[in-house]
Amino acid sequence: KGPAVAKNFEKRGFAAWYCPTKEEALAKAVSLIPETDVVSWGGSTSIVEMGLYDYVKAHNPVLDRDTAKTPEERMEIMRKGLTCDTFIMGTNAATQDGQLYNIDGNGNRTAALIFGPKQVIVMNKVEPTLEAAISRARSTAATINAQRFGIPTPCNANGMCADCLSPQSICNQMVRTRRNSGPQGRIKIILVGENLGY
């Protein structure tokens, strides 16, 4: 199934690979990132679990918002991330026909996916349909993130999306990427045959 999904992404202008293990996925990602590239990332447990986060911090110049000493400095680092060479991220959900669906709180991750960095490397969570991808992004990924960060939203309290309008909502940007934007293969998809992240 993985190789067939990779082909579906390629039909939509993405570059895509299927890697059965997280070790192979890490090797593929590393092969795509020159050591001279300035790298930034969106919050992703997948890139941490596969070792990519530690790798780029050790081998590349990075824009790491977690090094900021003030909220203003953190925001400035995230803005600079929009013009980095390589942006790495997990997707909230991918579809078998080759689309991405992402939910974002402040929009830095989805903004980088859409435009700015020279290349974006995306790790997967494949669902059979777009409807299933949207459901996974809203009911699983967003809810777990709210609980993980202790954000006082209805989904944190009851584990279910309430389509809330809370000022603390992390579901402000909902982005469907149905085709690669920019140069052919700018967005690179690595489909991993193991469970990573959530």
Side-chain angles (χ1 to χ4, degrees), residues 72-144:
E72 295 77 18
E73 184 184 2
R74 183 179 175 85
M75 189 61 69
E76 186 56 29
I77 291 170
M78 286 194 289
R79 283 195 184 98
K80 287 179 180 174
L82 299 178
T83 57
C84 69
D85 299 305
T86 296
F87 191 88
I88 54 178
M89 60 177 277
T91 187
N92 295 131
T95 66
Q96 287 183 3
D97 69 351
Q99 301 182 69
L100 301 174
Y101 191 81
N102 286 284
I103 292 179
D104 215 348
N106 59 34
N108 69 299
R109 187 171 59 96
T110 49
L113 175 65
I114 293 167
F115 184 83
K118 291 177 185 172
Q119 69 171 349
V120 182
I121 299 174
V122 181
M123 306 301 145
N124 67 295
K125 315 265 187 327
V126 177
E127 294 290 341
T129 64
L130 181 62
E131 292 72 22
I134 292 170
S135 176
R136 185 195 181 287
R138 295 186 74 178
S139 301
T140 303
T143 299
I144 291 172

